């Protein structure tokens, strides 16, 4: 009987397939199935040609698609049968990228996020018999830096900043051994061939570096350490003076500081759930918000927040330092408030000198700076608060090839999104774009992304707010490149970002609730119910407007929003409605003349813009509950309000009467959109506060009223699905109550779980809107000067 002829299969895979151990996985699987051939990274992802029996090849495809490596994701694949080679070489070879890949006109491969140190490397780090014992840059195919060291694609060592560190014979042997877990791991090195530590600019051994850093920290000094994506500023978490010094130098008086901690410390000092612990252990190693217990850290670490942000070590260097110091360390980004994270010891030397007493750095350059990711667990799933190291860049599969498009997002939590054939890719959170240095880094990042993918956009999308730094950059680039520039309404983009993650058929009802964004009527929006699709949006409901005395200043002074609420209810006669209002602590330091001036501005409409923002409503209510009169960081007052409500929710005080508030949906015959009227809620809140009701119970009633308001609009619209978007839905309790209220009436809620719900996702929504625009009638934008914007 003649032997069955071999066949040869060519398979092209796209998705997150580079930097995740995909090629070694192919080699091992193919050898098990007795196949021969080759596999390589290319400009599209991974390509392979395998030869063998037809059945074995079919099983190979099924196993690759159904069980790829743990960190991989296959979004698209194409396969074809090609002519078999008459005398194929045995085994499967990993080939270098072809000249065709290097010279391709477009790079469609996706940059992979950084992967925190894995359990196998942690075990080796602690093993005195292992040659990488206490080696700070330990990594393998399952962990190590990716995006932060990548200069261009495909993901090969010579395309990263590790190219300056040739492998020694021992590492080269591991790299070429299919039986070794570092087989073709692009980021490996050891003490003989890897980067070197520097203490205050001078070379130093690992032991000396750890001893010096530990001694400095124990003295209450601040140490800047070069992390995976940039420098972190470290301090002893149990040292009040060190924490105070950290806040002073960063210009961060109140915002909670993140902690680098061991699992044992977290278990002792936090009330961490199994789901939160799983997030903490994830390959992204994000900062995870968890409920804290008393003690363990200095009072200044978290301030009044009931949560601590804790993360595990993401690199061998962090792990070694944490073990050497013991306990927990404050680990916050090394930057002044509002500026980008420091990433280069020389270029950012002035900033590091102003922040730290000592600097522990190393010789591996960071190509793409990135902050740590921040997450929490809410509504039975993960909630991304900051898209950073380990999570970004984030690619979502797109339904059709499409032209290359660029979206430049918003101003707060800047980000960019790029349309590639088959994918929409979102950058890490770039921070606020108000400072010149931040906007310049955003500009540089945008140019690097376009160069990396060799896909020059044919159109640009931006927010309609003319003062946003991202809008100004979009105008400048569109003018320079002679490209159409399309302005996308802020809240429309918020809701489309949810659609990008959870595709919908046709239009959908959505709630876009945030701090503020420019509305179509020129007022500040932020409490919107909209029917949206990629082609347009229709406002069907919004929060009843109220004035914001001082405009932008109200975003840092919740008491201004409180005054706006009172004057929108009673005008200048608001003092007549209760002694408690007149003596409210939130404006205790305002002189009568200052109050009179603010009242005049509201009455005249000067410097008191109209606002329909749920974020500003929560600010005002928090101020009236004496939770926050001024804020030093975004959403500080709303977070205090959430913390109070959460405490009441956890106590389940069902035996006592709970306040019940409503935001009725009012339909005016002459208005296109209905309004949620917050005035009944305000009146009940003031009455209950005067009657001595618990503040936490009032806070919970506010959250319940907002959730019910969403459900009432959904019922009025007959919606079966509702999109929830905007920074207000970073509030875990509000999100959970809203999802539950909708579910009670058979309505499905959809919200971002991979994307952030805040402004960092706006660029992704802008891409969807830009894709849906007709190609005709788009005129190139006029050039504009690029400078720092403001909200």
């Amino acid at each position: 009987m003649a032997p069955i002829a071999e066949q040869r299969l060519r398979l092209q895979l796209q998705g997150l397939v580079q930097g995740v151990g995909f090629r070694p996985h192919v080699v091992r699987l193919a050898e098990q199935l007795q196949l021969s051939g080759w596999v390589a990274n290319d400009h599209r992802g991974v390509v392979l040609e395998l030869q063998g029996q037809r059945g074995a090849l079919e099983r190979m495809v099924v196993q690759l698609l159904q069980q790829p490596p743990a960190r991989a994701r296959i979004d698209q694949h194409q396969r074809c049968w090609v002519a078999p080679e008459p005398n194929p070489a045995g085994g499967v070879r990993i080939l270098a990228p072809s000249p065709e890949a290097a010279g391709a006109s477009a790079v469609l491969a996706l940059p992979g996020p950084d992967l925190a140190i894995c359990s196998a490397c942690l075990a080796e780090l602690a093993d005195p018999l292992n040659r990488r014992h206490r080696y700070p840059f330990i990594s393998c195919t399952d962990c190590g830096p990716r995006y932060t060291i990548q200069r261009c694609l495909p993901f090969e060592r010579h395309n990263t900043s590790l190219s300056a560190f040739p492998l020694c014979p021992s590492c080269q042997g591991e790299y070429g051994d299919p039986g070794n877990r570092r087989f073709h791991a692009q980021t490996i090195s050891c003490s003989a061939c890897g980067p070197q530590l520097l203490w205050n600019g001078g070379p130093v051994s690992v032991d000396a570096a750890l001893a010096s850093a530990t001694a400095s920290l124990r003295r209450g000094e601040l140490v800047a350490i070069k992390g995976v994506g940039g420098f972190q500023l470290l301090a002893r978490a149990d040292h009040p003076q060190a924490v105070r010094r950290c806040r002073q130098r960063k210009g961060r008086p109140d915002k909670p500081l993140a902690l680098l901690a061991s699992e044992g410390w977290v278990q002792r000092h936090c009330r961490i759930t199994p789901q939160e612990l799983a997030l903490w252990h994830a390959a992204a190693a994000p900062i995870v918000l968890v409920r804290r217990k008393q003690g363990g850290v200095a009072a200044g670490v978290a301030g009044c927040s009931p949560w601590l942000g804790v993360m595990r070590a993401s690199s061998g260097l962090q792990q070694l330092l944490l073990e050497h110091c013991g306990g927990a360390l404050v680990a916050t980004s090394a930057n002044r408030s509002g500026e980008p994270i420091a990433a280069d010891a020389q270029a950012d030397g002035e900033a590091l000198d102003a922040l730290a007493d000592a600097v522990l750095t190393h010789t591996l350059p960071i190509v793409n700076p990135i902050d740590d990711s921040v997450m929490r667990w809410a509504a039975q799933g993960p909630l991304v608060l900051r898209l950073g190291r380990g999570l970004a860049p984030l690619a979502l599969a797109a339904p059709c090839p499409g032209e290359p498009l660029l979206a430049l997002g918003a101003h707060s939590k800047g980000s960019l999104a790029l349309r590639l054939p088959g994918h929409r890719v979102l950058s890490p959170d770039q921070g606020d774009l108000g400072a010149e240095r931040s906007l310049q880094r955003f500009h540089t990042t945008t140019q690097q992304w376009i160069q990396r993918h060799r896909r020059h956009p044919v159109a640009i999308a931006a927010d309609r707010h003319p003062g946003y730094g991202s809008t100004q950059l979009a105008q400048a680039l569109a003018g320079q490149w002679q490209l159409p520039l399309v302005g996308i309404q802020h809240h429309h983009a918020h809701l489309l970002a949810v659609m990008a993650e959870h595709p919908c058929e046709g239009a959908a009802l959505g709630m876009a609730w945030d701090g503020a964004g420019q509305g179509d009527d020129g007022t500040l929006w932020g409490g919107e119910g909209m029917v949206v699709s990629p082609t347009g949006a229709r406002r069907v409901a919004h929060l009843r407007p109220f004035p914001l005395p001082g405009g932008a200043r109200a975003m840092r002074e919740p008491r201004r929003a409180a005054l706006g609420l009172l004057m929108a209810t009673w005008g200048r006669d608001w003092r007549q409605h209760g002694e408690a209002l007149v003596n409210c602590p939130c404006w205790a330091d305002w002189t009568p003349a200052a109050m009179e001036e603010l009242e005049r501005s509201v009455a005249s409409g000067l410097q008191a813009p109209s606002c329909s923002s749920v974020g500003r409503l929560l600010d005002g209510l928090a101020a009236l509950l004496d939770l926050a009169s001024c804020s030093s960081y975004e959403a500080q007052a709303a977070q205090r309000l959430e913390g109070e409500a959460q405490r009441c929710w956890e106590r389940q005080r069902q035996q006592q009467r709970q306040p019940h508030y409503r935001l009725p949906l009012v339909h005016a015959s002459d208005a296109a959109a209905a309004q949620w009227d917050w005035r009944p809620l305000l009146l009940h809140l003031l009455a209950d506060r005067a009657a001595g009701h618990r503040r936490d119970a009032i806070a919970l009633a506010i959250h319940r009223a907002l959730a019910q308001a969403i459900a009432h609009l959904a019922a009025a619209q007959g919606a079966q699905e509702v999109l929830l978007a905007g920074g207000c839905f970073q509030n875990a309790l509000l999100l959970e109550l809203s999802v539950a209220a909708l579910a009670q009436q058979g309505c499905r809620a959809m919200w971002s779980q991979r994307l952030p719900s805040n402004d960092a996702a706006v660029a992704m929504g802008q891409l969807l809107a830009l894709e849906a625009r007709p190609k005709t009638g788009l005129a190139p934008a006029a050039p504009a000067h690029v400078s720092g914007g403001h909200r």
Side-chain angles (χ1 to χ4, degrees):
M1 183 176 178
I4 299 175
E6 290 189 339
Q7 298 193 31
R8 191 172 185 88
L9 175 69
R10 182 179 179 88
L11 186 63
Q12 176 75 58
L13 301 168
Q14 287 180 253
L16 190 55
V17 292
Q18 294 189 8
V20 290
F22 204 98
R23 293 175 299 172
H25 179 73
V26 168
V27 171
R28 296 185 183 108
L29 185 55
E31 290 181 344
Q32 292 174 16
L33 296 170
Q34 297 182 325
L35 301 173
S36 62
W38 55 265
V39 59
N41 283 340
D42 73 352
H43 63 289
R44 289 168 290 185
V46 166
V47 61
L48 55 95
E49 277 193 17
L50 298 177
Q51 186 163 322
Q53 300 300 316
R54 176 75 178 237
L57 291 167
E58 295 282 9
R59 287 196 297 276
M60 178 80 184
V61 173
V62 170
Q63 291 192 49
L64 276 181
L65 297 181
Q66 294 183 354
Q67 295 179 318
R71 311 301 176 204
R73 192 187 77 239
I74 299 173
D75 294 327
Q76 300 173 27
H77 71 281
Q78 300 87 35
R79 57 177 168 173
C80 64
W81 299 97
V82 298
E85 293 184 359
N87 297 299
V92 179
R93 295 165 294 151
I94 296 180
L95 302 182
S98 66
E100 175 191 354
S105 59
V107 176
L108 311 183
L110 300 177
D114 302 281
L115 300 172
I117 186 169
C118 67
S119 57
C121 283
L122 280 172
E124 291 180 346
L125 191 70
D127 182 2
L129 301 180
N130 191 280
R131 74 185 193 91
R132 289 189 175 84
H133 175 56
R134 293 169 66 81
Y135 176 58
F137 306 99
I138 190 169
S139 72
C140 66
T141 53
D142 291 330
C143 68
R146 301 296 193 261
Y147 171 73
T148 52
I149 62 171
Q150 191 169 75
R151 291 196 175 98
C152 60
L153 291 162
F155 185 72
E156 301 285 348
R157 190 180 185 92
H158 64 268
N159 287 335
T160 73
S161 55
L162 273 167
S163 61
F165 303 92
L167 296 179
C168 67
S170 296
C171 287
Q172 190 66 54
E174 295 171 332
Y175 183 86
D177 180 5
N180 193 286
R181 67 187 191 85
R182 290 188 172 87
F183 177 49
H184 269 266
Q186 303 302 312
T187 61
I188 64 168
S189 63
C190 69
S191 56
C193 61
Q196 186 176 30
L197 291 178
L198 305 172
W199 175 256
N200 290 334
V204 67
S205 68
V206 174
D207 289 343
L210 296 176
S212 297
T214 301
S216 185
L217 290 166
R218 285 177 177 164
R219 290 194 296 269
E221 295 175 349
L222 307 185
V223 175
I225 178 177
K226 192 174 185 179
V228 176
F231 280 89
Q232 293 175 310
L233 192 61
L234 303 184
R236 290 287 306 188
D238 56 357
H239 197 299
Q241 291 80 11
V243 173
R244 191 178 308 117
R245 195 175 298 120
C246 178
R247 290 194 174 281
Q248 290 170 345
R249 293 184 186 178
K250 274 182 64 73
R252 186 172 175 171
D254 302 305
K255 191 174 183 179
L257 298 168
L259 297 177
L260 177 66
S262 66
E263 181 176 354
W265 189 95
V266 172
Q267 295 278 17
R268 288 192 303 275
H269 297 285
C270 303
R271 290 188 285 156
I272 189 167
T273 67
Q275 295 90 346
E276 291 166 342
L277 189 60
L279 282 182
W280 188 84
H281 275 296
I287 299 168
V288 181
L289 292 193
V290 297
R291 298 286 285 184
R292 62 175 172 141
K293 299 177 183 176
Q294 293 298 317
V297 297
V301 169
C304 297
S305 174
W307 298 281
L308 281 177
V310 293
M311 62 179 156
R312 71 179 179 96
S314 59
S315 70
L317 179 58
Q318 287 180 332
Q319 179 68 23
L320 290 170
L321 187 58
L322 185 61
E323 291 174 355
H324 214 264
C325 292
L329 296 172
V330 167
T332 184
S333 55
N335 62 326
R336 291 281 300 174
S337 183
E339 295 188 352
I341 187 172
D344 184 282
Q346 292 186 332
D348 299 314
E350 185 178 342
L352 292 173
D353 288 343
L355 290 167
D357 300 299
V359 178
L360 176 57
T361 185
H362 53 74
T363 55
L364 176 62
I366 295 173
V367 179
N368 303 299
I370 187 171
D371 274 306
D372 296 310
S373 291
V374 184
M375 301 180 75
R376 71 187 309 184
W377 187 265
Q380 305 303 310
L383 196 62
V384 178
L385 307 183
R386 182 167 68 199
L387 192 71
R389 177 196 47 76
L391 298 179
L394 176 66
L396 299 179
C400 57
E403 295 180 300
L405 303 170
L406 174 66
L408 291 183
H411 183 78
S412 172
K413 300 172 181 60
S415 65
L416 67 102
L418 194 61
R419 180 62 150 89
L420 302 174
H423 288 95
R424 303 180 185 104
V425 189
L426 182 67
S427 78
D429 187 331
Q430 301 291 300
D432 293 349
L433 303 180
E436 192 69 32
R437 288 187 63 213
S438 299
L439 187 55
Q440 186 55 52
R441 179 170 287 183
F442 185 54
H443 189 182
T444 301
T445 301
T446 301
Q447 292 177 316
Q448 289 174 338
W449 271 53
I450 292 171
Q451 293 166 2
R452 182 179 295 126
H453 290 281
R454 304 176 205 157
R455 294 280 290 178
H456 202 280
V458 299
I460 302 177
D463 199 281
R464 289 180 181 169
H465 195 303
Y468 282 6
S470 55
T471 304
Q472 295 170 1
L473 176 59
Q475 290 170 342
L477 293 179
Q480 176 185 339
W481 297 334
Q482 288 296 290
L483 295 178
L485 173 61
V486 178
I488 309 298
Q489 200 279 323
H490 186 83
H491 301 94
H492 184 200
H494 260 307
L495 292 167
L496 290 184
V498 181
M499 278 191 166
E501 188 172 337
H502 305 282
C504 300
E505 295 263 345
L509 177 66
M511 311 295 157
W513 288 8
D514 65 358
Q518 181 167 286
D520 289 337
D521 59 2
T523 66
L524 297 176
W525 289 8
E528 314 310 310
M530 307 172 81
V531 175
V532 297
S533 72
T535 59
R538 178 169 56 90
R539 195 184 193 199
V540 295
H542 60 86
L543 195 70
R544 179 184 176 86
F546 60 94
L548 281 182
R553 288 191 63 182
M555 299 177 188
R556 293 300 187 195
E557 294 186 47
R559 56 190 177 182
R560 290 175 179 263
L563 180 61
L565 292 171
L566 296 178
M567 291 196 66
T569 304
W570 292 299
R572 300 189 73 170
D573 294 333
W574 62 271
R575 289 178 179 81
Q576 300 177 13
H577 295 270
E579 186 70 22
L581 288 180
V582 178
N583 298 320
C584 184
C586 70
W587 37 65
D589 60 340
W590 273 349
T591 65
M595 179 72 83
E596 176 67 22
E597 182 180 350
L598 286 171
E599 290 182 14
R600 281 199 304 269
S601 75
V602 172
S604 65
L606 295 175
Q607 297 184 345
S610 180
C611 158
S612 62
S613 163
V614 171
R616 299 287 84 81
L617 173 68
L618 292 173
D619 280 355
L621 298 179
L624 292 172
L625 289 174
D626 194 25
L627 290 171
S629 58
C630 296
S631 297
S632 64
Y633 63 91
E634 184 182 34
Q636 181 177 357
Q639 288 175 15
R640 291 286 306 276
L641 193 67
E642 180 192 358
E644 288 288 328
Q646 190 72 44
R647 272 190 282 270
C648 183
W649 177 258
E650 291 174 357
R651 277 200 296 269
Q652 293 293 311
R653 300 173 58 86
Q654 300 301 324
Q655 70 278 12
Q656 297 186 11
R657 184 182 77 83
Q658 296 292 307
H660 179 74
Y661 302 156
R662 291 180 63 246
L663 273 82
L665 192 63
V666 179
H667 297 266
S669 58
D670 59 342
Q675 292 186 3
W676 288 295
D677 191 351
W678 45 263
R679 292 176 299 177
L681 183 153
L682 176 68
L683 295 176
H684 281 103
L685 176 152
L686 295 174
D688 286 342
R689 190 72 175 125
H693 284 290
R694 292 182 59 99
R695 188 166 56 183
D696 59 356
I698 295 173
L700 178 57
I702 293 169
H703 284 71
R704 283 176 165 154
L706 290 168
Q708 287 299 322
I710 291 173
H712 291 159
L713 178 60
Q717 291 287 317
Q720 297 300 308
E721 296 179 334
V722 173
L723 312 175
L724 303 176
C728 290
F729 293 106
Q730 294 181 132
N731 180 323
L733 182 59
L734 177 60
L735 177 64
E736 290 165 357
L737 291 173
S738 301
V739 171
L742 289 167
Q744 285 179 352
Q745 58 193 42
C747 187
R748 175 185 172 222
M750 292 183 290
W751 64 97
S752 295
Q753 292 179 294
R754 296 177 61 198
L755 295 167
S757 60
N758 56 41
D759 279 8
V762 163
M764 187 67 84
Q766 290 171 349
L767 266 193
L768 266 70
L770 189 56
E771 290 170 15
R773 292 296 176 107
K775 301 301 183 289
T776 58
L778 298 181
H785 172 67
V786 178
S787 62
H790 63 278
R791 296 191 72 186

